Amino acid sequence: MDRGNYQRGGGDNTGRGRGNRGRGGPHIGGGRGGPHVGGGRSGPQMGSFHQPPQQWGNQPRGSGQYQFRGAPPGRGGTWVNQPVQRGGGNAWQRPQQQGSGVPITAWARPPPQQPQQQGSGGGVATAWARPPPPPQEVVDRPQSSDPVHVDMGSLKITEASSSESSKEKRVPVTRPDTGKNCVKQIELLANHFVVTFDPHSTIMHYDVNIQQQADENRPVKNLTNKSVLHMIRAKLCEDDPIRFPLDNTAYDGNKNIFSAVQLPTGCFAVNWSDGEDVKSRTYDITINLVAELQLRKLEQYLSGNLSYIPRDILQGMDLFMKDNPSRHRISVGRCFYSKNPHKDFRFGFAAYKGFQQSLKPTEAGLALCLDYSVLALRKPMSVLDYLRDYFQIRKEDIFKYNHQAAHDALKGLKVTVNHRRTSQKFVIKKLTDRKTSEITFPLEDPEGKDPPRDVLLVEYFRDKYQREIQFKDFPSLDVGKGSKINYVPMEFCVLVEGQRFPKEELDKDSAMFLKNMSLARPNERKEAICEMVKAEDGPCGAITDNFGIKVDKNMTGVVGRVLPPPDLKLGGQSPLRVNDKCQWNLVGKSVVEGKALQRWALIDFSYKERNRLRVDEFVFGLRDRCIKLSINMEEPAEVHFTDMHELSEVGKVEKLLNFVVDAAKRKINGKLQMIVCVMTSKHNGYKYLKWVSETKIGVVTQCCLSTNANKGQDQYLANLCMKINAKLGGSNMELMQRLPNFRNGDNVMFIGADVNHPTSRDADKYPSIAAVVATINWPAANRYAARVCPQKHRTEKILEFGKMCADLVRTYEELNSVKPNKIVVFRDGVSGSQFDMVLNEELNDLVKDIYDRYKYKPEITLVVAQKRHHTRLFPREGNVPPGTVVDTQIVHPFDFDFYLCSHFGQLGTSKATHYHVLWDENGFNSDSLQRLIYNMCFTFARCTKPVSLVPPVYYADLVAYRGRMFQEVVMEMNASSSTTSPASFEQRFYNLQPDLQNIMFFV
């Protein structure tokens, strides 16, 4: 659709409508869709290109593509005059003046086309689908995200060799065009709220250091507690509100203060005490000016005229937006929850509603993205009341039979005390073994004249606080730090608000209620989001007004496109067309390629249970369903009956599997292909089974529950057959048409990469698990091999990325007798701040390992897939249909990104996946990449519908989770080990048995 017209939102012939950033201006400037010149897109004469000045001449769409080093057009960078030949069109000529140190003064015509050049280590970027900017002197983009001030008089255009380009830092590609392919357009609302600001205003950024003054009696302590630091800073504002106005400043609880007014700098002393019986201490607050942040730089970035993202400005504005909810709501991580619980439950917790928010630079300008959130939190109640609710018995009976259970329920929780006025928070270290009436502790003489004397805890509280302890027969809490003891009777302790209640401890009914709350239908979620934006304790408060920040309380309207679903191929069938929900079934159909299961065994773990597996019926039903799907399945070579106790230890599992394998070997020729394991319930021994079978025995397993197996429903058995066939190396379903953007003669490999991190509460003895998967067949591209590797604790960079990818390239060549000449990498789990690491470290590792090891240079595309974002899309009714893509308004101002909802949302509100292209040597335009990803979502091996995430990433996530299970097994086996180097970091424990290395054991 031609969106170019003369005015939109006040646009004129400069194309600058809508607050100096117009869309659709007809001549020059930042408009989109303008018919002639400037930053326009989809203009009538050059299609997908940003138009060059008229003296460059016009070209048909798709006639050429320019490589650009540094920054996008108009953002500072170096154009390398090496167009990629992608169709016909008039030739572009080099500028009239060029060379080392000679600035370009004019463009006569575009440079002539030349063959694409690539240098070692990745070559120059080939993905820029925009011609050179208007005549101006430009500079390479800075080598970091930090602001760089450049002398504009020294800027030069330079000719770069491929060897030079390999040393330069890569930058993300820009959007080549906006997509047009669709079966229909759909009007949507997005939970983005446009933020306006005064570009002429300034934010003052200060570094703050809070240090406790030295004391003769007590050493200086390092202050790390954010709540304490916030209170000390608040005391400074309270003592001197004229010079330090609280509502004109925002503090991050660490080292940064952002202010709307100038603050005095220097060192300021503050007296503060965290309790009425605690001596006041003096703290030095040192404030230094870091920078005066001009908001015009943010405006320049949003309009594409600044070469780096002004992160410090966004950091300050984000802090302003969070100030109001942080004062009035419960802060948990990055979310803010109402102090009024939505629903109380037993066990001392409640369901709380809240939101999470972030600021995003988008095509529509700066936007506040706010999404609805639900969480189970412990109620701020007395410890005794909490234990009464937790155990559902009278207080008097709690410790008669539940002392250890009470200790486990309380250990690690944060409490405050109410026998004295204090803001201090304590962590429960343990429950005392003795009754409170029997507890004594050494009381030190504050003047140090007399030696410590033992006193009874009840006497101390009576004398010190005039408080009589009521529950003397109960134990007390030890809330001391480290080796220090600090006994406090439980009746004086109150749980701190905002403590998470673990999901795994929820009872079935509570878990279901919370799940239903979090899966709010689209209209309910939309209304909740709008209410929270407008709420008095929401993101819009006094401090945002003081900073001149305004938020439009209406959601952003955007037009989405619904992509057509691909035609599917099943065995011996005409093209399969899916229904409106993009789903299909296998009734009366067969798989594309069924792998015969001739040698298999069955282990029945339900033999001694009431709900025993009906073995004969299950085997008959499974074989019959396999045969109907064209998967030849023989009778099991061995059936072994046992119980779930055999899964209780790794050693027992290994002994069992070896016994079954040996028993089967005596009856058949050849090694077992698979062991089907039927269990009565989910069990911790599942991970033992997988680790032993996949790393030691070398026989793939397929697990299922006896309750489902006995029901024998057709759809359940069909799904089981699909998993079995995929694990054997068969093909369940393929696409009728070749994936877009590739030609006959291409050999393409898709790579998926992910890192699974241990929980934040885990110690650094647990590794992160990196997983890389890759397709090993083409053009079907539906069979994958996987590699898994442990690495340094909570490290997001995949340290062995190049090595793992190179090994997968070797595997591809062994199986296909040819190396892939095109590689598309999908990276999962990284945020925008980590894009540079992925682009300039991980991609460099991949390029180096492949180039150095195999001496060839495939064309590489790198795409980040993000599921952990807050953007939601709302149609007028229901969920967005599968295939909905959005690449305008709510996307990045100029980077190549889009939102794609590829699945049908049966429950709750559908969440689109955000795809962000960082590097592209394969010349994708928006339509071709969007269709590629959407079509691939139909190839997931274990279901009959498209999945929400592109399969390489989905599979990488499954493999990383499998690696996490391996780590847990290794840690349990080495729990008593005293080695200084934890075994869970050793690669040998994660190496798959050779027979399983190149099959889909993980589906």
Side-chain angles (χ1 to χ4, degrees), residues 194-243:
V194 175
V195 176
T196 57
F197 55 89
D198 181 2
H200 303 292
S201 61
T202 301
I203 296 174
M204 314 301 293
H205 180 196
Y206 295 91
D207 174 83
V208 58
N209 181 47
I210 302 178
Q211 184 73 46
Q212 180 182 301
Q213 284 188 0
D215 188 288
E216 291 181 359
N217 298 322
R218 286 180 284 187
V220 174
K221 292 189 296 184
N222 235 350
L223 293 177
T224 57
N225 188 307
K226 281 194 173 185
S227 62
V228 170
L229 291 168
H230 270 291
M231 286 186 280
I232 295 173
R233 173 258 182 173
K235 184 66 165 55
L236 172 67
C237 296
E238 179 185 326
D239 291 346
D240 194 349
I242 303 299
R243 293 198 299 167

Side-chain angles (χ1 to χ4, degrees), residues 391-457:
F391 291 107
Q392 295 291 295
I393 56 177
R394 297 187 315 151
K395 294 179 183 177
E396 290 76 10
D397 297 330
I398 292 173
F399 302 102
K400 290 182 180 179
Y401 316 105
N402 300 286
H403 187 281
Q404 184 59 44
H407 172 273
D408 295 340
L410 293 175
K411 185 178 179 181
L413 298 185
K414 293 180 181 180
V415 294
T416 58
V417 296
N418 58 18
H419 62 277
R420 60 187 178 91
R421 184 175 60 82
T422 180
S423 57
Q424 242 179 321
K425 297 174 184 176
F426 306 89
V427 177
I428 299 175
K429 185 163 62 177
K430 65 178 182 179
L431 202 61
T432 61
D433 295 326
R434 292 179 291 168
K435 299 177 182 179
T436 298
S437 59
E438 301 171 350
I439 295 175
T440 61
F441 69 96
L443 180 65
E444 296 181 356
D445 179 12
E447 297 181 2
K449 296 179 180 178
D450 299 323
R453 60 185 179 90
D454 285 345
V455 297
L456 285 167
L457 188 65

Side-chain angles (χ1 to χ4, degrees), residues 628-641:
K628 288 179 180 178
L629 289 170
S630 298
I631 304 169
N632 183 31
M633 186 179 192
E634 302 291 341
E635 291 283 347
E638 175 71 13
V639 178
H640 184 81
F641 300 96

Side-chain angles (χ1 to χ4, degrees), residues 60 392 415 519 548 556 666 686 707 717 762 784 834 868 873:
Q392 295 291 295
V415 294
L519 294 175
T556 299
R666 291 192 291 269
Y686 175 84
T707 52
L717 292 177
D762 286 336
Y784 290 76
Q834 296 167 321
R868 294 182 180 178
L873 302 172

Side-chain angles (χ1 to χ4, degrees), residues 14-16 19-22 28-31 38-40 50 68 71-77 130 133-134 136-142 148 150 152 155 174 295-310 362 892-895:
T14 65
R16 295 181 178 272
N20 295 329
R21 192 168 179 276
I28 57 175
H50 272 229
F68 185 76
R75 296 181 58 208
R130 303 179 182 183
Q136 60 182 6
E137 296 168 348
V138 292
V139 70
D140 284 355
R141 181 185 284 197
V148 177
V150 182
M152 298 302 292
L155 307 184
T174 54
L295 265 61
R296 60 179 173 80
K297 289 190 176 182
L298 179 57
E299 183 191 42
Q300 291 169 355
Y301 176 76
L302 293 170
S303 61
N305 294 319
L306 190 65
S307 64
Y308 58 87
I309 182 169
T362 70
H892 194 275
F894 35 78
D895 283 359

